[in-house]
Amino acid sequence: MYQAILTAAANETIFAIYFFVCCVLCKISKEFAIAKLIFTQQLTRFTDAPEVETTATVLRAGLEAAFDLNPLLRGYVLDEQGHLRKHVVIFVDGVRVRDHERVMLDVPLSSNSTVHILQALSGG
């Protein structure tokens, strides 16, 4: 009888350890998920705009990582209210950031997302 109790306890312990390891590995993989922000050459004419790799999960946090590297970049990308400037266009994984997303910039970034930030061309 004691052996059955010990065997059950051992199985529960093994399961608990397995569950813990899975949770840790899942957390580690999320922490190292990398999104890449790429600024086009139009912006690099005015200020340094390096390619940025970030673990951010939303667009605004990814942009903040770029602004941490070069604070001057913020003025070219965001207006005084922190909204995306109307002459700036952003694509996340090939999909343009929609008008209603330009204010909050809460577009989710997944692991291995690619974000392109460029100045829209206008004129005639």
Side-chain angles (χ1 to χ4, degrees):
M1 176 171 173
Y2 290 115
Q3 186 161 353
I5 293 172
L6 290 175
T7 302
N11 287 339
E12 287 181 23
T13 303
I14 290 170
F15 176 76
I17 291 170
Y18 174 78
F19 182 74
F20 175 76
V21 169
C22 288
C23 289
V24 168
L25 291 176
C26 182
K27 183 175 182 196
I28 289 171
S29 68
K30 286 181 182 175
E31 288 177 6
F32 292 103
I34 302 293
K36 186 183 296 186
L37 281 72
I38 302 168
F39 294 86
T40 59
Q41 290 181 341
Q42 294 95 342
L43 284 169
T44 60
R45 290 186 312 184
F46 305 109
T47 187
D48 185 36
E51 190 171 293
V52 176
E53 291 187 346
T54 178
T55 58
T57 58
V58 293
L59 179 57
R60 183 171 294 277
L63 290 171
E64 290 298 332
F67 302 152
D68 287 346
L69 295 175
N70 181 0
L72 293 176
L73 192 56
R74 178 186 302 276
Y76 288 101
V77 177
L78 303 180
D79 64 17
E80 295 76 22
Q81 289 80 37
H83 306 158
L84 193 62
R85 289 190 177 278
K86 61 180 156 172
H87 67 272
V88 175
V89 179
I90 297 181
F91 291 87
V92 176
D93 296 324
V95 178
R96 184 177 178 169
V97 171
R98 296 175 293 215
D99 288 341
H100 68 277
E101 297 168 325
R102 295 175 67 85
V103 173
M104 297 300 293
L105 298 173
D106 58 355
V107 177
L109 301 179
S110 62
S111 61
N112 303 315
S113 280
T114 303
V115 179
H116 289 93
I117 301 103
L118 54 132
Q119 286 185 313
L121 300 176
S122 62

